[in-house]
Amino acid sequence: MSKKLNIAIAGIAGRMGRQLLQAALDAGHTVSGGSEAPGSPLLGNDIGPLVGQPPTGTVVSNSPDTAAQSASVWIDFTIPAVTLKSLQALREQGVGAVVIGTTGFTPEQEAEIEAFANDLAIVKAGNFSLGVNLLQALVRQAASRLGTEWDIEILETHHSRKVDAPSGTALMLGDAAAEGRGTPLSELRAPPYDGAQAKRNSGEIGFSVRRSGGVIGDHDVTFGSDMEMLTLSHRALDRAVFATGAIKAAEWAVGRAPGLYGLDHVLGLAPSTLQ
Ligand code: NAD
């Protein structure tokens, strides 16, 4: 096992927060802090029972400063405004390592995160699974080999409580396809089909979104020509896959120089691994 860490988890009672808590304990780390929203009925409660464990001595706090107090790394799967506010607190507290899984940041918020990375080692990924990381490389490769006469469509399905759309993972895959085509996604991204003038221009990358029940996260990237179709797919079967990846990222981030890193750095997979 790697060095035992003191981990603080933002949004610790959320769907991902609980998975992160379980994965951190399973990996032998100490969870030294956990934050929840002001007004949460869990504030002041011990974190252990959140995952059916005995009390640990750490309680849920509504203050990132308190939650981060003795942490060496902060893991944040919450909402964009909350993540950004926590980064401010972490810089003041001197917690040098951060893992961000939150999705749905605006371009301005992404720029703020980049600025924080001058002082903090931040690992940020829209998806912490190994399979999606590999899928990104495959999509980049396929897009670079297939001409613009091939339509690229990205379809994602998630549970009906998801806030942002398209998912962070769909946008990561769109970025990979756009990189393969040698043009920024901002120039190729097509809005969803809707209305009387919905036809897409050649070379654009289209996004479709489904929300249904309890789906954890399905992504399909389809390349279609007039004569054949190729679909690359990924399905998450358990949220634990993201939590395990995030704990690996936390272990990797502690003691790193400030900077903005991705899961490919953690896994040692350069984006150009597949040629
Ligand atoms: P969730 O709503 O279940 O959990 C978010 C938690 O944050 C909630 O418990 C909420 O009470 C808490 N919160 C809200 N305000 C807070 C505050 N001020 N301080 C502390 N906590 C606060 O959502 P989720 O399904 O766990 O997803 C969270 C985020 O993670 C979303 O952006 C989602 O898209 C993303 N996500 C990323 C990955 C990945 O691999 N990168 C995987 C799954 C989910």
Side-chain angles (χ1 to χ4, degrees):
M1 184 198 127
S2 64
K3 194 167 158 271
K4 186 171 167 162
L5 302 177
N6 278 354
I7 299 179
I9 299 171
I12 195 161
R15 278 179 290 269
M16 279 306 302
R18 289 172 199 248
Q19 294 285 343
L20 290 160
L21 170 57
Q22 186 65 61
L25 297 175
D26 287 348
H29 298 303
T30 299
V31 177
S32 59
S35 71
E36 255 308 324
S40 163
L42 296 164
L43 296 178
N45 287 10
D46 195 282
I47 59 170
L50 288 175
V51 288
Q53 303 272 342
T56 62
T58 297
V59 297
V60 181
S61 164
N62 65 0
S63 147
D65 295 279
T66 309
Q69 235 156 36
S70 50
S72 44
V73 57
W74 177 267
I75 307 184
D76 201 310
F77 283 61
T78 57
I79 47 179
V82 170
T83 304
L84 283 168
K85 212 169 150 206
S86 298
L87 290 179
Q88 184 65 41
L90 298 176
R91 189 159 59 185
E92 283 158 19
Q93 294 267 331
V95 178
V98 188
V99 176
I100 300 179
T102 307
T103 59
F105 294 103
T106 63
E108 294 73 27
Q109 289 173 322
E110 297 280 4
E112 279 186 62
I113 293 174
E114 273 178 43
F116 276 112
N118 289 323
D119 302 313
L120 305 167
I122 301 176
V123 182
K124 178 172 173 292
N127 192 301
F128 275 92
S129 85
L130 174 61
V132 162
N133 201 263
L134 186 57
L135 177 62
Q136 247 185 306
L138 293 168
V139 166
R140 191 181 295 113
Q141 185 189 33
S144 72
R145 300 240 175 138
L146 303 173
T148 49
E149 70 278 14
W150 288 72
D151 297 317
I152 303 181
E153 292 281 330
I154 300 173
L155 166 65
E156 59 104 334
T157 309
H158 279 85
H159 57 87
S160 45
R161 271 90 59 206
K162 183 161 178 62
V163 183
D164 53 314
S167 67
T169 304
L171 293 171
M172 276 168 58
L173 295 171
D175 268 328
E179 275 168 39
R181 288 206 157 155
T183 308
L185 181 60
S186 53
E187 290 176 29
L188 297 181
R189 180 173 168 176
Y193 290 108
D194 192 14
Q197 298 296 329
K199 190 173 163 295
R200 280 183 190 155
N201 301 317
S202 165
E204 286 184 339
I205 297 175
F207 290 85
S208 310
V209 174
R210 294 196 304 180
R211 292 288 171 262
S212 189
V215 177
I216 294 174
D218 291 354
H219 293 86
D220 293 346
V221 183
T222 298
F223 297 83
S225 78
D226 284 347
M227 287 182 286
E228 54 184 327
M229 281 177 77
L230 164 68
T231 299
L232 301 171
S233 298
H234 180 269
R235 167 167 287 187
L237 300 177
D238 191 325
R239 279 190 183 84
V241 72
F242 309 127
T244 309
I247 299 298
K248 274 206 185 89
E251 291 164 351
W252 182 90
V254 171
R256 275 300 138 183
L260 187 54
Y261 304 98
L263 191 61
D264 49 346
H265 295 104
V266 177
L267 298 173
L269 300 169
S272 57
T273 301
L274 290 171
Q275 294 299 338

